[in-house]
Amino acid sequence: MKKILFILLCSVAFIGASAQTGKVSVNAGFLFPSTLNATLGYEYPLSYGNAVEVYGEVGNHWQKPVCHNFWKGYFWDGGIVYKHRLARYKNGMMRLRLGPQFGAVQKKFFFGLEAGFEYSYVFRSGLEFSVIQKNNVNFLHGDTFRNGLLLGIKVPF
């Protein structure tokens, strides 16, 4: 019985991977002011090149002097983003990103909105390279505005 369930599970995973219904994305970059950021997400494609992404991210907003206060401004958050296709190219796509987010910084919870642009370039293997321009407006804490660039890859799942 265990072998049959294992074979069934592997075949379903193989069929899902070959159809490339979703992608796991990993992004990292720099946001202004003085913030390092890393994001892990799952993108589910919709019709006409649109998509929905559920993500979680961690970051660090460091203060001066850096040597003693580097890890004191860390934050984590998560959210959902709707990606509307603006333009489609031969191997790429430009999308508008909009969505809510929520998280915590220095033991204080916040919620906010994310907006920005994303350019994705697809390689023959199915991997995607992405450049994300990100704008965050957060409420209920001192780090209200964050904007910057993230670079990343998307792996078909």
Side-chain angles (χ1 to χ4, degrees), residues 79-124:
I80 185 167
V81 175
Y82 174 72
K83 299 178 180 182
H84 181 72
R85 180 181 59 107
L86 297 175
R88 187 165 190 71
Y89 308 106
K90 182 178 179 182
N91 290 339
M93 190 179 319
M94 178 69 106
R95 292 178 173 158
L96 175 68
R97 300 168 48 97
L98 295 168
Q101 67 180 21
F102 58 92
V105 60
Q106 298 174 351
K107 299 182 182 178
K108 297 177 186 173
F109 289 98
F110 67 88
F111 66 95
L113 299 172
E114 178 177 330
F117 296 99
E118 174 182 318
Y119 175 76
S120 296
Y121 181 84
V122 181
F123 295 105
R124 284 187 192 194

Side-chain angles (χ1 to χ4, degrees), residues 60-74 106:
N60 186 26
H61 178 83
W62 69 84
Q63 294 90 20
K64 306 284 185 201
V66 176
C67 60
H68 299 292
N69 296 325
F70 186 75
W71 291 109
K72 292 190 177 183
Y74 73 92
Q106 298 174 351

